[in-house]
Amino acid sequence: MDYAAKLDQALDRLHDEGRYRTFIDIERKMGQFPHATWRRPDGSETPITVWCGNDYLGMGQHPAVLEAMHEAIDATGAGSGGTRNISGTTVYHKRLEAELADLHGKESALLFTSAYIANDATLSTLPKLFPGLIIYSDELNHASMIEGIRRNGGSKRVFKHNDVEDLRAKLAADDPAAPKLIAFESIYSMDGDFGPIEAICDLADEFGALTYIDEVHAVGMYGPRGAGVAERDRLMHRIDIINGTLAKAYGVMGGYIAASDKMCDAVRSYAPGFIFTTSLPPAVAAGAAASVAFLKTAEGQALRERHQTQAGILKLRLKGMGLPIIDHGSHIVPVIVGDPVHTKQLSDMLLEGFGIYVQPINFPTVPRGTERLRFTPSPVHGPREMDQLVQAMDELWSHCALNRAEMAG
């Protein structure tokens, strides 16, 4: 077996399909985000504006977060020293879990190193806790949810995206006595559409199912205290398990679930992804706790309002030029290109010609034929940055002879 040749073939397939992904070296400038420096392969440096980051509110550079991290690292050093079961539980981890439980109005929260691990570990563990469990999963759920459900050895049913009637039919077809769980998201990040939370909770009540919601693209950004769409819609009390991230709106790193004391205790005790993973560094936990606490305040609410305003302005201006954007009312701004090669070319041209960084989104992240550029405006993108982006998109769309509509939506 020529292993090197096989690797070449696998990589060549991605190049041929226009799906090969490249990383660029970015140095964020503390206090200046979304401005950053692109370090080119030849060693030269170019100033750029980042338009595809997940630090949605700029909390990764907030003074309260940085101060908390500095204090923790000065007090405790770099690492946590082990898994939570061995020596990796500190006052910082407990404080963060208390902040998260309070945020979501739950008895407890359980911290993981990422929201991916939180989803995977929890969903793969639940059938151990509820033998015979059937999980009903939205077809557009995150890869981490799909992986956790696939690995758990239990039964699964995939229902059509946001299709409550299809979900009802699948629930009704199964044994009424079987334990059930419905897994879905509050905001689906590729199109920016919202999950029908209330309708799904109604079905869960009717069929005796647990509810599991992924709020990673909503925590920090929706609701009076930033707990997500379920808080905004006053539905948190109807959700059994809430999954969230600390790496997007909160600007740091980590993931978690919030649920009852018994649920968190059982997952903590049975999930290998929790048991055998070294815990987050105390400084990271401290920074995340400070971010969560800050975004619960009126100042946090003001940031959320500015964030939504920025997203609305960008969508309105791109629509006005006839660019084919998807607008479901969330903060996600996808511009559909529809071809992987053209999407990559647009991304490269924006970077090289205008100093605007936005990564192409291609298959398998989105279906073939819906390749796109996905913009994430934030409160720290000002009018000048917005003008530069809109003008660059207008110029490149004409240069590449891409289709326009009178009003796309």
Side-chain angles (χ1 to χ4, degrees), residues 175-210:
D175 180 357
K180 301 175 178 67
L181 178 138
I182 305 169
F184 63 108
E185 298 183 31
S186 62
I187 297 179
Y188 292 85
S189 62
M190 288 302 110
D191 285 352
D193 54 328
F194 293 89
I197 302 174
E198 185 171 20
I200 287 177
C201 289
D202 289 343
L203 281 180
D205 290 346
E206 181 180 345
F207 289 92
L210 296 169

PDB file of all heavy atoms in Angstrom, residues 175-210:
ATOM      1  N   ASP A 175     -43.111   3.418  20.365  1.00  0.00           N
ATOM      2  CA  ASP A 175     -43.722   2.896  21.583  1.00  0.00           C
ATOM      3  C   ASP A 175     -43.956   4.037  22.579  1.00  0.00           C
ATOM      4  O   ASP A 175     -43.010   4.730  22.972  1.00  0.00           O
ATOM      5  CB  ASP A 175     -42.786   1.854  22.199  1.00  0.00           C
ATOM      6  CG  ASP A 175     -43.329   1.242  23.483  1.00  0.00           C
ATOM      7  OD1 ASP A 175     -44.415   1.654  23.941  1.00  0.00           O
ATOM      8  OD2 ASP A 175     -42.643   0.357  24.029  1.00  0.00           O
ATOM      9  N   PRO A 176     -45.187   4.274  23.007  1.00  0.00           N
ATOM     10  CA  PRO A 176     -45.462   5.370  23.944  1.00  0.00           C
ATOM     11  C   PRO A 176     -44.689   5.248  25.252  1.00  0.00           C
ATOM     12  O   PRO A 176     -44.407   6.258  25.908  1.00  0.00           O
ATOM     13  CB  PRO A 176     -46.973   5.249  24.193  1.00  0.00           C
ATOM     14  CG  PRO A 176     -47.505   4.498  23.025  1.00  0.00           C
ATOM     15  CD  PRO A 176     -46.419   3.559  22.599  1.00  0.00           C
ATOM     16  N   ALA A 177     -44.321   4.019  25.618  1.00  0.00           N
ATOM     17  CA  ALA A 177     -43.629   3.813  26.892  1.00  0.00           C
ATOM     18  C   ALA A 177     -42.122   4.014  26.791  1.00  0.00           C
ATOM     19  O   ALA A 177     -41.436   4.082  27.816  1.00  0.00           O
ATOM     20  CB  ALA A 177     -43.917   2.407  27.409  1.00  0.00           C
ATOM     21  N   ALA A 178     -41.578   4.115  25.577  1.00  0.00           N
ATOM     22  CA  ALA A 178     -40.133   4.253  25.407  1.00  0.00           C
ATOM     23  C   ALA A 178     -39.674   5.642  25.840  1.00  0.00           C
ATOM     24  O   ALA A 178     -40.341   6.646  25.546  1.00  0.00           O
ATOM     25  CB  ALA A 178     -39.743   4.018  23.956  1.00  0.00           C
ATOM     26  N   PRO A 179     -38.536   5.748  26.541  1.00  0.00           N
ATOM     27  CA  PRO A 179     -37.994   7.078  26.862  1.00  0.00           C
ATOM     28  C   PRO A 179     -37.586   7.797  25.580  1.00  0.00           C
ATOM     29  O   PRO A 179     -37.074   7.176  24.645  1.00  0.00           O
ATOM     30  CB  PRO A 179     -36.786   6.772  27.745  1.00  0.00           C
ATOM     31  CG  PRO A 179     -36.407   5.368  27.425  1.00  0.00           C
ATOM     32  CD  PRO A 179     -37.675   4.666  27.042  1.00  0.00           C
ATOM     33  N   LYS A 180     -37.820   9.096  25.553  1.00  0.00           N
ATOM     34  CA  LYS A 180     -37.602   9.867  24.325  1.00  0.00           C
ATOM     35  C   LYS A 180     -36.908  11.180  24.649  1.00  0.00           C
ATOM     36  O   LYS A 180     -37.077  11.745  25.740  1.00  0.00           O
ATOM     37  CB  LYS A 180     -38.946  10.153  23.631  1.00  0.00           C
ATOM     38  CG  LYS A 180     -39.742   8.921  23.241  1.00  0.00           C
ATOM     39  CD  LYS A 180     -41.114   9.305  22.685  1.00  0.00           C
ATOM     40  CE  LYS A 180     -41.896   8.085  22.244  1.00  0.00           C
ATOM     41  NZ  LYS A 180     -42.270   7.233  23.412  1.00  0.00           N
ATOM     42  N   LEU A 181     -36.136  11.674  23.677  1.00  0.00           N
ATOM     43  CA  LEU A 181     -35.491  12.979  23.799  1.00  0.00           C
ATOM     44  C   LEU A 181     -35.480  13.653  22.432  1.00  0.00           C
ATOM     45  O   LEU A 181     -35.151  13.017  21.424  1.00  0.00           O
ATOM     46  CB  LEU A 181     -34.064  12.830  24.332  1.00  0.00           C
ATOM     47  CG  LEU A 181     -33.271  14.145  24.467  1.00  0.00           C
ATOM     48  CD1 LEU A 181     -32.477  14.170  25.773  1.00  0.00           C
ATOM     49  CD2 LEU A 181     -32.310  14.350  23.291  1.00  0.00           C
ATOM     50  N   ILE A 182     -35.846  14.930  22.410  1.00  0.00           N
ATOM     51  CA  ILE A 182     -35.829  15.708  21.161  1.00  0.00           C
ATOM     52  C   ILE A 182     -34.634  16.655  21.221  1.00  0.00           C
ATOM     53  O   ILE A 182     -34.514  17.467  22.146  1.00  0.00           O
ATOM     54  CB  ILE A 182     -37.127  16.509  20.979  1.00  0.00           C
ATOM     55  CG1 ILE A 182     -38.340  15.580  21.048  1.00  0.00           C
ATOM     56  CG2 ILE A 182     -37.102  17.252  19.636  1.00  0.00           C
ATOM     57  CD1 ILE A 182     -39.669  16.325  21.135  1.00  0.00           C
ATOM     58  N   ALA A 183     -33.730  16.540  20.244  1.00  0.00           N
ATOM     59  CA  ALA A 183     -32.511  17.348  20.194  1.00  0.00           C
ATOM     60  C   ALA A 183     -32.592  18.306  19.016  1.00  0.00           C
ATOM     61  O   ALA A 183     -32.795  17.882  17.871  1.00  0.00           O
ATOM     62  CB  ALA A 183     -31.285  16.443  20.063  1.00  0.00           C
ATOM     63  N   PHE A 184     -32.422  19.599  19.293  1.00  0.00           N
ATOM     64  CA  PHE A 184     -32.549  20.606  18.236  1.00  0.00           C
ATOM     65  C   PHE A 184     -31.767  21.847  18.628  1.00  0.00           C
ATOM     66  O   PHE A 184     -31.151  21.895  19.701  1.00  0.00           O
ATOM     67  CB  PHE A 184     -34.027  20.932  17.985  1.00  0.00           C
ATOM     68  CG  PHE A 184     -34.747  21.551  19.155  1.00  0.00           C
ATOM     69  CD1 PHE A 184     -35.107  22.885  19.134  1.00  0.00           C
ATOM     70  CD2 PHE A 184     -35.065  20.805  20.285  1.00  0.00           C
ATOM     71  CE1 PHE A 184     -35.770  23.468  20.206  1.00  0.00           C
ATOM     72  CE2 PHE A 184     -35.732  21.372  21.360  1.00  0.00           C
ATOM     73  CZ  PHE A 184     -36.076  22.710  21.328  1.00  0.00           C
ATOM     74  N   GLU A 185     -31.763  22.860  17.764  1.00  0.00           N
ATOM     75  CA  GLU A 185     -31.003  24.081  18.014  1.00  0.00           C
ATOM     76  C   GLU A 185     -31.930  25.285  18.081  1.00  0.00           C
ATOM     77  O   GLU A 185     -33.039  25.257  17.532  1.00  0.00           O
ATOM     78  CB  GLU A 185     -29.966  24.302  16.910  1.00  0.00           C
ATOM     79  CG  GLU A 185     -28.927  23.194  16.821  1.00  0.00           C
ATOM     80  CD  GLU A 185     -27.872  23.460  15.762  1.00  0.00           C
ATOM     81  OE1 GLU A 185     -27.558  24.653  15.518  1.00  0.00           O
ATOM     82  OE2 GLU A 185     -27.349  22.499  15.174  1.00  0.00           O
ATOM     83  N   SER A 186     -31.469  26.337  18.723  1.00  0.00           N
ATOM     84  CA  SER A 186     -32.263  27.569  18.757  1.00  0.00           C
ATOM     85  C   SER A 186     -31.993  28.417  17.518  1.00  0.00           C
ATOM     86  O   SER A 186     -32.915  29.005  16.953  1.00  0.00           O
ATOM     87  CB  SER A 186     -31.952  28.375  20.018  1.00  0.00           C
ATOM     88  OG  SER A 186     -30.588  28.776  20.048  1.00  0.00           O
ATOM     89  N   ILE A 187     -30.719  28.473  17.088  1.00  0.00           N
ATOM     90  CA  ILE A 187     -30.353  29.172  15.848  1.00  0.00           C
ATOM     91  C   ILE A 187     -29.437  28.257  15.056  1.00  0.00           C
ATOM     92  O   ILE A 187     -28.423  27.782  15.577  1.00  0.00           O
ATOM     93  CB  ILE A 187     -29.629  30.505  16.112  1.00  0.00           C
ATOM     94  CG1 ILE A 187     -30.531  31.480  16.863  1.00  0.00           C
ATOM     95  CG2 ILE A 187     -29.171  31.144  14.795  1.00  0.00           C
ATOM     96  CD1 ILE A 187     -29.877  32.805  17.183  1.00  0.00           C
ATOM     97  N   TYR A 188     -29.812  28.017  13.811  1.00  0.00           N
ATOM     98  CA  TYR A 188     -28.991  27.183  12.926  1.00  0.00           C
ATOM     99  C   TYR A 188     -28.048  28.121  12.175  1.00  0.00           C
ATOM    100  O   TYR A 188     -28.479  28.996  11.430  1.00  0.00           O
ATOM    101  CB  TYR A 188     -29.886  26.378  11.981  1.00  0.00           C
ATOM    102  CG  TYR A 188     -30.675  25.334  12.739  1.00  0.00           C
ATOM    103  CD1 TYR A 188     -31.879  25.651  13.359  1.00  0.00           C
ATOM    104  CD2 TYR A 188     -30.188  24.039  12.885  1.00  0.00           C
ATOM    105  CE1 TYR A 188     -32.588  24.705  14.085  1.00  0.00           C
ATOM    106  CE2 TYR A 188     -30.885  23.080  13.608  1.00  0.00           C
ATOM    107  CZ  TYR A 188     -32.087  23.425  14.211  1.00  0.00           C
ATOM    108  OH  TYR A 188     -32.777  22.488  14.939  1.00  0.00           O
ATOM    109  N   SER A 189     -26.755  27.919  12.403  1.00  0.00           N
ATOM    110  CA  SER A 189     -25.781  28.963  12.110  1.00  0.00           C
ATOM    111  C   SER A 189     -25.504  29.188  10.633  1.00  0.00           C
ATOM    112  O   SER A 189     -24.983  30.239  10.266  1.00  0.00           O
ATOM    113  CB  SER A 189     -24.462  28.655  12.819  1.00  0.00           C
ATOM    114  OG  SER A 189     -23.918  27.432  12.356  1.00  0.00           O
ATOM    115  N   MET A 190     -25.810  28.228   9.775  1.00  0.00           N
ATOM    116  CA  MET A 190     -25.487  28.430   8.364  1.00  0.00           C
ATOM    117  C   MET A 190     -26.517  29.314   7.651  1.00  0.00           C
ATOM    118  O   MET A 190     -26.170  30.127   6.799  1.00  0.00           O
ATOM    119  CB  MET A 190     -25.367  27.079   7.655  1.00  0.00           C
ATOM    120  CG  MET A 190     -24.099  26.312   8.036  1.00  0.00           C
ATOM    121  SD  MET A 190     -22.585  27.231   7.702  1.00  0.00           S
ATOM    122  CE  MET A 190     -22.012  27.602   9.358  1.00  0.00           C
ATOM    123  N   ASP A 191     -27.805  29.163   7.994  1.00  0.00           N
ATOM    124  CA  ASP A 191     -28.844  30.007   7.409  1.00  0.00           C
ATOM    125  C   ASP A 191     -29.308  31.093   8.365  1.00  0.00           C
ATOM    126  O   ASP A 191     -29.936  32.065   7.948  1.00  0.00           O
ATOM    127  CB  ASP A 191     -30.058  29.171   6.994  1.00  0.00           C
ATOM    128  CG  ASP A 191     -29.810  28.362   5.723  1.00  0.00           C
ATOM    129  OD1 ASP A 191     -28.755  28.569   5.089  1.00  0.00           O
ATOM    130  OD2 ASP A 191     -30.662  27.529   5.371  1.00  0.00           O
ATOM    131  N   GLY A 192     -29.054  30.898   9.658  1.00  0.00           N
ATOM    132  CA  GLY A 192     -29.480  31.877  10.644  1.00  0.00           C
ATOM    133  C   GLY A 192     -30.954  31.788  10.990  1.00  0.00           C
ATOM    134  O   GLY A 192     -31.537  32.773  11.471  1.00  0.00           O
ATOM    135  N   ASP A 193     -31.580  30.623  10.759  1.00  0.00           N
ATOM    136  CA  ASP A 193     -32.999  30.484  11.081  1.00  0.00           C
ATOM    137  C   ASP A 193     -33.182  29.949  12.495  1.00  0.00           C
ATOM    138  O   ASP A 193     -32.281  29.339  13.072  1.00  0.00           O
ATOM    139  CB  ASP A 193     -33.714  29.585  10.070  1.00  0.00           C
ATOM    140  CG  ASP A 193     -33.063  28.227   9.910  1.00  0.00           C
ATOM    141  OD1 ASP A 193     -31.830  28.126  10.053  1.00  0.00           O
ATOM    142  OD2 ASP A 193     -33.777  27.246   9.633  1.00  0.00           O
ATOM    143  N   PHE A 194     -34.356  30.188  13.048  1.00  0.00           N
ATOM    144  CA  PHE A 194     -34.663  29.824  14.427  1.00  0.00           C
ATOM    145  C   PHE A 194     -35.411  28.501  14.490  1.00  0.00           C
ATOM    146  O   PHE A 194     -36.250  28.205  13.626  1.00  0.00           O
ATOM    147  CB  PHE A 194     -35.534  30.902  15.084  1.00  0.00           C
ATOM    148  CG  PHE A 194     -34.837  32.216  15.281  1.00  0.00           C
ATOM    149  CD1 PHE A 194     -34.859  33.187  14.282  1.00  0.00           C
ATOM    150  CD2 PHE A 194     -34.158  32.499  16.448  1.00  0.00           C
ATOM    151  CE1 PHE A 194     -34.233  34.404  14.451  1.00  0.00           C
ATOM    152  CE2 PHE A 194     -33.527  33.715  16.639  1.00  0.00           C
ATOM    153  CZ  PHE A 194     -33.559  34.670  15.637  1.00  0.00           C
ATOM    154  N   GLY A 195     -35.128  27.711  15.513  1.00  0.00           N
ATOM    155  CA  GLY A 195     -35.887  26.499  15.758  1.00  0.00           C
ATOM    156  C   GLY A 195     -37.233  26.826  16.393  1.00  0.00           C
ATOM    157  O   GLY A 195     -37.346  27.796  17.140  1.00  0.00           O
ATOM    158  N   PRO A 196     -38.279  26.012  16.117  1.00  0.00           N
ATOM    159  CA  PRO A 196     -39.615  26.246  16.693  1.00  0.00           C
ATOM    160  C   PRO A 196     -39.684  25.718  18.129  1.00  0.00           C
ATOM    161  O   PRO A 196     -40.272  24.676  18.411  1.00  0.00           O
ATOM    162  CB  PRO A 196     -40.531  25.458  15.751  1.00  0.00           C
ATOM    163  CG  PRO A 196     -39.683  24.328  15.268  1.00  0.00           C
ATOM    164  CD  PRO A 196     -38.274  24.869  15.190  1.00  0.00           C
ATOM    165  N   ILE A 197     -39.089  26.458  19.050  1.00  0.00           N
ATOM    166  CA  ILE A 197     -38.889  25.954  20.412  1.00  0.00           C
ATOM    167  C   ILE A 197     -40.208  25.620  21.098  1.00  0.00           C
ATOM    168  O   ILE A 197     -40.374  24.528  21.665  1.00  0.00           O
ATOM    169  CB  ILE A 197     -38.090  26.972  21.249  1.00  0.00           C
ATOM    170  CG1 ILE A 197     -36.733  27.260  20.602  1.00  0.00           C
ATOM    171  CG2 ILE A 197     -37.904  26.456  22.675  1.00  0.00           C
ATOM    172  CD1 ILE A 197     -35.944  28.352  21.294  1.00  0.00           C
ATOM    173  N   GLU A 198     -41.156  26.543  21.060  1.00  0.00           N
ATOM    174  CA  GLU A 198     -42.407  26.321  21.781  1.00  0.00           C
ATOM    175  C   GLU A 198     -43.166  25.120  21.234  1.00  0.00           C
ATOM    176  O   GLU A 198     -43.672  24.291  22.001  1.00  0.00           O
ATOM    177  CB  GLU A 198     -43.288  27.568  21.729  1.00  0.00           C
ATOM    178  CG  GLU A 198     -44.546  27.442  22.573  1.00  0.00           C
ATOM    179  CD  GLU A 198     -45.302  28.738  22.707  1.00  0.00           C
ATOM    180  OE1 GLU A 198     -45.102  29.646  21.872  1.00  0.00           O
ATOM    181  OE2 GLU A 198     -46.113  28.855  23.657  1.00  0.00           O
ATOM    182  N   ALA A 199     -43.226  25.001  19.904  1.00  0.00           N
ATOM    183  CA  ALA A 199     -43.946  23.879  19.301  1.00  0.00           C
ATOM    184  C   ALA A 199     -43.290  22.551  19.647  1.00  0.00           C
ATOM    185  O   ALA A 199     -43.976  21.544  19.881  1.00  0.00           O
ATOM    186  CB  ALA A 199     -44.014  24.058  17.784  1.00  0.00           C
ATOM    187  N   ILE A 200     -41.969  22.530  19.692  1.00  0.00           N
ATOM    188  CA  ILE A 200     -41.261  21.296  20.051  1.00  0.00           C
ATOM    189  C   ILE A 200     -41.497  20.966  21.525  1.00  0.00           C
ATOM    190  O   ILE A 200     -41.702  19.797  21.886  1.00  0.00           O
ATOM    191  CB  ILE A 200     -39.766  21.423  19.728  1.00  0.00           C
ATOM    192  CG1 ILE A 200     -39.559  21.359  18.203  1.00  0.00           C
ATOM    193  CG2 ILE A 200     -38.955  20.332  20.430  1.00  0.00           C
ATOM    194  CD1 ILE A 200     -38.126  21.547  17.750  1.00  0.00           C
ATOM    195  N   CYS A 201     -41.508  21.980  22.385  1.00  0.00           N
ATOM    196  CA  CYS A 201     -41.804  21.734  23.798  1.00  0.00           C
ATOM    197  C   CYS A 201     -43.219  21.194  23.980  1.00  0.00           C
ATOM    198  O   CYS A 201     -43.455  20.317  24.831  1.00  0.00           O
ATOM    199  CB  CYS A 201     -41.619  23.018  24.603  1.00  0.00           C
ATOM    200  SG  CYS A 201     -39.901  23.535  24.811  1.00  0.00           S
ATOM    201  N   ASP A 202     -44.157  21.702  23.185  1.00  0.00           N
ATOM    202  CA  ASP A 202     -45.530  21.187  23.249  1.00  0.00           C
ATOM    203  C   ASP A 202     -45.571  19.702  22.887  1.00  0.00           C
ATOM    204  O   ASP A 202     -46.250  18.906  23.549  1.00  0.00           O
ATOM    205  CB  ASP A 202     -46.440  21.970  22.302  1.00  0.00           C
ATOM    206  CG  ASP A 202     -46.715  23.385  22.789  1.00  0.00           C
ATOM    207  OD1 ASP A 202     -46.474  23.669  23.989  1.00  0.00           O
ATOM    208  OD2 ASP A 202     -47.153  24.214  21.970  1.00  0.00           O
ATOM    209  N   LEU A 203     -44.843  19.321  21.839  1.00  0.00           N
ATOM    210  CA  LEU A 203     -44.788  17.912  21.447  1.00  0.00           C
ATOM    211  C   LEU A 203     -44.117  17.068  22.530  1.00  0.00           C
ATOM    212  O   LEU A 203     -44.536  15.942  22.808  1.00  0.00           O
ATOM    213  CB  LEU A 203     -44.039  17.750  20.131  1.00  0.00           C
ATOM    214  CG  LEU A 203     -44.790  18.077  18.844  1.00  0.00           C
ATOM    215  CD1 LEU A 203     -43.893  17.849  17.640  1.00  0.00           C
ATOM    216  CD2 LEU A 203     -46.056  17.239  18.720  1.00  0.00           C
ATOM    217  N   ALA A 204     -43.066  17.610  23.134  1.00  0.00           N
ATOM    218  CA  ALA A 204     -42.378  16.885  24.200  1.00  0.00           C
ATOM    219  C   ALA A 204     -43.328  16.609  25.361  1.00  0.00           C
ATOM    220  O   ALA A 204     -43.337  15.507  25.922  1.00  0.00           O
ATOM    221  CB  ALA A 204     -41.162  17.683  24.669  1.00  0.00           C
ATOM    222  N   ASP A 205     -44.132  17.597  25.715  1.00  0.00           N
ATOM    223  CA  ASP A 205     -45.116  17.403  26.778  1.00  0.00           C
ATOM    224  C   ASP A 205     -46.136  16.341  26.385  1.00  0.00           C
ATOM    225  O   ASP A 205     -46.499  15.471  27.185  1.00  0.00           O
ATOM    226  CB  ASP A 205     -45.835  18.713  27.080  1.00  0.00           C
ATOM    227  CG  ASP A 205     -44.936  19.736  27.772  1.00  0.00           C
ATOM    228  OD1 ASP A 205     -43.857  19.345  28.257  1.00  0.00           O
ATOM    229  OD2 ASP A 205     -45.323  20.914  27.817  1.00  0.00           O
ATOM    230  N   GLU A 206     -46.595  16.405  25.148  1.00  0.00           N
ATOM    231  CA  GLU A 206     -47.624  15.476  24.678  1.00  0.00           C
ATOM    232  C   GLU A 206     -47.137  14.037  24.661  1.00  0.00           C
ATOM    233  O   GLU A 206     -47.883  13.106  25.011  1.00  0.00           O
ATOM    234  CB  GLU A 206     -48.080  15.900  23.280  1.00  0.00           C
ATOM    235  CG  GLU A 206     -49.177  15.028  22.692  1.00  0.00           C
ATOM    236  CD  GLU A 206     -49.606  15.479  21.303  1.00  0.00           C
ATOM    237  OE1 GLU A 206     -49.261  16.621  20.904  1.00  0.00           O
ATOM    238  OE2 GLU A 206     -50.280  14.694  20.608  1.00  0.00           O
ATOM    239  N   PHE A 207     -45.866  13.842  24.272  1.00  0.00           N
ATOM    240  CA  PHE A 207     -45.344  12.484  24.112  1.00  0.00           C
ATOM    241  C   PHE A 207     -44.403  12.064  25.241  1.00  0.00           C
ATOM    242  O   PHE A 207     -43.778  11.003  25.155  1.00  0.00           O
ATOM    243  CB  PHE A 207     -44.641  12.346  22.760  1.00  0.00           C
ATOM    244  CG  PHE A 207     -45.589  12.365  21.586  1.00  0.00           C
ATOM    245  CD1 PHE A 207     -45.891  13.542  20.938  1.00  0.00           C
ATOM    246  CD2 PHE A 207     -46.186  11.191  21.147  1.00  0.00           C
ATOM    247  CE1 PHE A 207     -46.767  13.562  19.854  1.00  0.00           C
ATOM    248  CE2 PHE A 207     -47.064  11.184  20.071  1.00  0.00           C
ATOM    249  CZ  PHE A 207     -47.364  12.380  19.424  1.00  0.00           C
ATOM    250  N   GLY A 208     -44.285  12.881  26.263  1.00  0.00           N
ATOM    251  CA  GLY A 208     -43.447  12.515  27.402  1.00  0.00           C
ATOM    252  C   GLY A 208     -41.969  12.455  27.088  1.00  0.00           C
ATOM    253  O   GLY A 208     -41.259  11.577  27.592  1.00  0.00           O
ATOM    254  N   ALA A 209     -41.488  13.402  26.287  1.00  0.00           N
ATOM    255  CA  ALA A 209     -40.085  13.411  25.869  1.00  0.00           C
ATOM    256  C   ALA A 209     -39.300  14.485  26.617  1.00  0.00           C
ATOM    257  O   ALA A 209     -39.836  15.527  27.012  1.00  0.00           O
ATOM    258  CB  ALA A 209     -39.983  13.653  24.364  1.00  0.00           C
ATOM    259  N   LEU A 210     -38.013  14.222  26.805  1.00  0.00           N
ATOM    260  CA  LEU A 210     -37.089  15.246  27.273  1.00  0.00           C
ATOM    261  C   LEU A 210     -36.737  16.179  26.118  1.00  0.00           C
ATOM    262  O   LEU A 210     -36.852  15.804  24.939  1.00  0.00           O
ATOM    263  CB  LEU A 210     -35.813  14.604  27.814  1.00  0.00           C
ATOM    264  CG  LEU A 210     -35.933  13.713  29.046  1.00  0.00           C
ATOM    265  CD1 LEU A 210     -34.619  12.963  29.271  1.00  0.00           C
ATOM    266  CD2 LEU A 210     -36.306  14.533  30.268  1.00  0.00           C
TER     267      LEU A 210
END
